[in-house]
Amino acid sequence: MSFDNLMLSEKLQNTLTSLGYNTPTPIQQQAIPILRQGKDLIATSQTGTGKTASFVLPMLENISETQEIKLGDQRYKIDALILVSTRELALQIHNNIEKYAKAFTHQSIALYGGVKLGGQVKQIRAGANIVVATTGRLLDHLRNGTVNLSAVQMVVIDEADKLLEMGFINDVRVIISQLPKKRQSSMFSATFPPAIKNLGKSLLSKPISISIDPDNMETQKVNQMVHHINEEQKAPLLSFLIRSKSWKQVLVFVNTKHQANALVVQLIQDGLTASAIHGDKSQKARNHALQQFKEKKISVLVATDVVARGIDITNLPHVINFELPLKNEDYIHRIGRTGRAKHQGEAISLICKKEIEQLKEIEIMINKTLPAITTESFNYTDTPPPMKEKKGVDLKKAKALAQKMMKKDEIGQSRSKIPKKGRGTQRHF
Ligand code: AMP
């Protein structure tokens, strides 16, 4: 199938060709015609499947064909709203919209917390057709009267299960109550627990359901492996793997912000370039770390599950589970950061004794036994090898830098800057 068959204009198809999109992904094949016809949609969708374009492309076309908001004279009104759970995802979707909307005049903006309201108000005042927002920040703007949802024609709830998990579902309900009755709505979620089904009932009208065959999931292209190792040897093994294999871009998942910070210190001490990304870092620091990583200015990004979903890093070759996630389903989201869009990826989970039972559960979940690998030249003794000063690495400097970063982390506690109102009960990643 080509994009020709999906009710998209020639100018949009030209943009897609220029981006190297020749064939629509399965979710795009199914979702685009439904949304182009103005119907409501409920989609079971995994990460990395081309989901963003599946709702953004019809959104761009539909806005063009209706009485769209005239920019600069709209009293904070917008045409379309996309609700997401994390700031990174808001920015990523916004960036994708800008890419896809090259042939249109539509303006998109991202509204998320951790930055001042003022700049965002200015942007909305200048005019926005599409708003991509995290729930808490959107509620702040609604309270301020700096966003008006009365003209919204289309609303998308992305990763609904993540919004539920992070405690934002009531915020979503408040936002839905502000939308006009006549609108097109769609909801995307990887799982459908009762709370999400109920949300769907209040959001959607006669929705069409689609589900992407797991055989088509991008995670099939991820070469998954496990590496059994003592807990205290995980960090030395990680440094060894990165160095000996000359990996240039590795995303490492841990479960807590403390672990993330500690591991970054260790990696820097081992002479690698690394940064951490987690919920307690200021938004500026999070964006900076992600950007540095995307541009390959640092080779290791240590992350908590705050970035396990949705985030797209082009051609990311390696994901490491330094520890298995707190929730088994996050395993799929984590490894889905690699092997995206036709590229092969590799995901290695470092498994210590206490994680073996959980590994079995994950293997049952993904219906696959993961092959175990060993690293021949690694020193598998019980005690971590003493830290050696590497040629070209100033250990003193590395330690000072690591300590500075830890300090910065403590100062950069962005959570306190987010207005309390509108914040759900969040998990502390
Ligand atoms: P998403 O699931 O929306 O985050 O998309 C995952 C990746 O797939 C992104 O890098 C997109 O640019 C890419 N992508 C989306 N649709 C297509 C397509 N039809 N052909 C090639 N790449 C695509």
Side-chain angles (χ1 to χ4, degrees), residues 119-247:
Q120 295 178 346
V121 174
K122 244 191 216 163
Q123 280 183 295
I124 309 168
R125 200 180 293 135
N129 299 98
I130 305 173
V131 162
V132 192
T134 55
T135 52
R137 180 46 64 103
L138 183 63
L139 283 177
D140 292 338
H141 281 289
L142 286 171
R143 269 186 221 103
N144 274 357
T146 44
V147 164
N148 179 335
L149 301 182
S150 67
V152 167
Q153 307 164 39
M154 272 155 285
V155 61
V156 176
I157 314 265
D158 194 20
E159 306 206 322
D161 50 347
K162 183 75 176 171
L163 283 161
L164 172 73
E165 194 183 297
M166 293 177 84
F168 296 142
I169 215 78
N170 285 334
D171 291 356
V172 176
R173 287 188 180 284
V174 174
I175 292 163
I176 293 174
S177 72
Q178 310 255 326
L179 295 169
K181 292 243 164 349
K182 193 169 170 295
R183 61 168 194 257
Q184 180 186 41
S185 312
S186 48
M187 185 162 85
F188 292 77
S189 195
T191 54
F192 284 87
I196 296 296
K197 284 192 185 141
N198 284 338
L199 180 72
K201 277 183 201 149
S202 58
L203 173 77
L204 307 158
S205 155
K206 296 188 195 146
I208 297 184
S209 301
I210 62 171
S211 177
I212 299 308
D213 178 354
D215 285 340
N216 288 325
M217 273 169 51
E218 298 293 304
T219 47
Q220 298 297 315
K221 289 188 304 209
V222 181
N223 192 12
Q224 302 169 60
M225 291 158 275
V226 296
H227 200 311
H228 293 279
I229 188 79
N230 288 337
E231 194 172 3
E232 63 273 21
Q233 282 211 297
K234 283 187 175 187
L237 174 66
L238 178 63
S239 292
F240 185 86
L241 281 171
I242 297 170
R243 277 232 216 87
S244 61
K245 294 181 185 284
S246 301
W247 286 345

Side-chain angles (χ1 to χ4, degrees), residues 3 21 23-25 28 48-52 92 99 312 340-341:
F3 281 103
Y21 291 15
T23 320
T25 64
Q28 291 163 3
T49 52
K51 178 163 54 96
T52 315
Q92 180 178 296
K99 237 171 35 180
D312 181 43
R340 291 162 78 78

Side-chain angles (χ1 to χ4, degrees), residues 282-300:
S282 70
Q283 190 54 42
K284 212 172 147 201
R286 281 163 65 164
N287 291 348
H288 183 68
L290 195 57
Q291 202 52 35
Q292 297 261 89
F293 185 63
K294 283 184 175 179
E295 290 171 7
K296 300 190 183 151
K297 289 182 178 151
I298 53 169
S299 53
V300 195

Side-chain angles (χ1 to χ4, degrees), residues 235 252-267 275-281 302-305 322-323 326 402 405-407 409-410 413 415 428-429:
V252 180
F253 281 105
V254 294
N255 291 337
T256 64
K257 56 199 178 204
H258 303 295
Q259 179 66 279
N261 289 338
L263 188 55
V264 164
V265 170
Q266 179 74 51
L267 293 169
S275 194
I277 183 162
H278 52 67
D280 266 7
K281 284 214 161 192
V302 183
T304 59
D305 285 296
F322 190 80
E323 39 195 0
L326 298 171
M405 283 178 51
M406 293 284 275
K407 256 206 186 127
D409 275 348
E410 279 150 26
Q413 305 260 340
R415 206 164 290 278
H428 286 252
F429 293 114

